[in-house]
């Protein structure tokens, strides 16, 4: 009798487990579909509902290691929930302003941040140089106006090189390039407290380093624009 009772209990447990697994799977699939279909404004809220700050932290920690540094920074800045949706709306508008000011830039909205790549005809460097060209300064003038009009953000600036030269030399050169952009933006009135320079060296090429054209593309600057504490506080108030 005891054996039969135990068998019945085990069947009930198995049925409950299957039901729970099915329900969990349905919730995950629904969340994934919602995230995929959501626009950038909605995405922060959907992600927050699906997984909260844990998802943001995991994505940020993993993407930033050995992958694309600016995108890692943007992903790592996920707030989530309704507050994330408010921030996403603000970032949508700022991304649009950057695209209009710099048609040649690659502007990508990632969760609650913006990744901007400036290369070739926007901000590019000559071989073995960290000096800003006249074209670079013209485009940074335009970008600076957008950044000043949107003061509640932090801006990580990443310098890159092509593959010619040693790793250590290219690392140093990439840092000088990032700092050259920071210093120029500060001279245009962008608050230095918002700007963070980082050199990536030759580690993240976006083009073939075996050609002149490819190397020129790799001598670039990238930006990761994320919400600062002030924007998060304002978004929290709006969310209420």
């Amino acid at each position: 009798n005891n054996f039969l009772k135990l068998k019945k209990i085990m069947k009930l447990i198995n049925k409950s487990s299957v039901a729970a697994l099915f329900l969990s799977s349905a919730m995950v699939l629904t969340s994934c579909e919602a995230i995929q279909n959501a626009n950038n404004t909605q995405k922060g809220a959907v992600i927050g509902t699906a997984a909260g700050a844990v998802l943001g932290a995991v994505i940020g920690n993993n993407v930033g290691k050995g992958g694309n540094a600016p995108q890692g920074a943007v992903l790592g800045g996920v707030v989530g929930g309704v507050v994330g949706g408010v921030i996403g709306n603000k970032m949508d508008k700022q991304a649009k302003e950057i695209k209009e000011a710099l048609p040649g830039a690659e502007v990508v909205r990632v969760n609650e941040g913006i990744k901007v790549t400036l290369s070739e005809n926007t901000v590019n460097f000559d071989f073995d140089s960290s000096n800003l060209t006249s074209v670079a300064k013209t485009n940074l003038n335009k970008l600076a106006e957008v950044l000043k009009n949107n003061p509640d953000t932090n801006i990580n600036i990443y310098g890159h090189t092509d593959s010619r030269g040693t790793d250590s030399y290219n690392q140093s050169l990439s840092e000088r390039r990032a700092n050259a952009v920071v210093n120029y933006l500060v001279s245009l009135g962008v608050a230095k407290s918002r700007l963070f320079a980082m050199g990536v060296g030759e580690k993240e090429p976006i083009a073939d380093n075996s050609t002149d054209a490819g190397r020129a593309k790799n001598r670039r600057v990238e930006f990761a624009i994320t919400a600062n504490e002030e924007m998060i506080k304002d978004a929290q108030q709006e969310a209420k």
Side-chain angles (χ1 to χ4, degrees), residues 41-197:
T41 302
Q42 298 165 333
K43 197 170 288 184
V46 174
I47 288 174
T49 304
V54 174
L55 176 62
V58 170
I59 294 173
N61 289 337
N62 282 288
V63 176
K65 294 174 182 176
N68 188 287
Q71 187 161 309
V74 172
L75 289 168
V78 172
V79 176
V82 177
V83 175
V86 174
I87 292 172
N89 186 41
K90 294 177 185 291
M91 290 297 185
D92 281 344
K93 293 175 181 176
Q94 188 172 169
K96 183 181 179 182
E97 291 176 22
I98 295 172
K99 286 179 181 178
E100 290 173 352
L102 294 171
E106 179 189 326
V107 183
V108 181
R109 278 280 288 107
V110 186
N111 292 330
E112 294 153 20
I114 307 168
K115 178 192 170 189
V116 182
T117 302
L118 302 181
S119 63
E120 295 183 281
N121 61 336
T122 49
V123 175
N124 197 243
F125 295 90
D126 292 330
F127 171 66
D128 195 23
S129 174
S130 58
N131 295 326
L132 293 170
T133 64
S134 58
V135 173
K137 289 180 179 179
T138 297
N139 285 299
L140 287 174
N141 291 346
K142 298 174 184 176
L143 179 62
E145 290 305 309
V146 178
L147 297 178
K148 287 188 290 185
N149 290 336
N150 296 273
D152 294 340
T153 57
N154 291 326
I155 305 128
N156 285 20
I157 299 172
Y158 301 84
H160 296 263
T161 71
D162 60 36
S163 63
R164 288 185 290 182
T166 65
D167 289 350
S168 58
Y169 182 83
N170 285 335
Q171 178 61 36
S172 176
L173 177 59
S174 69
E175 291 169 6
R176 294 198 300 274
R177 286 174 174 170
N179 279 300
V181 173
V182 167
N183 293 335
Y184 189 70
L185 290 175
V186 170
S187 75
L188 296 174
V190 180
K192 191 170 185 178
S193 59
R194 301 173 58 196
L195 304 171
F196 305 90

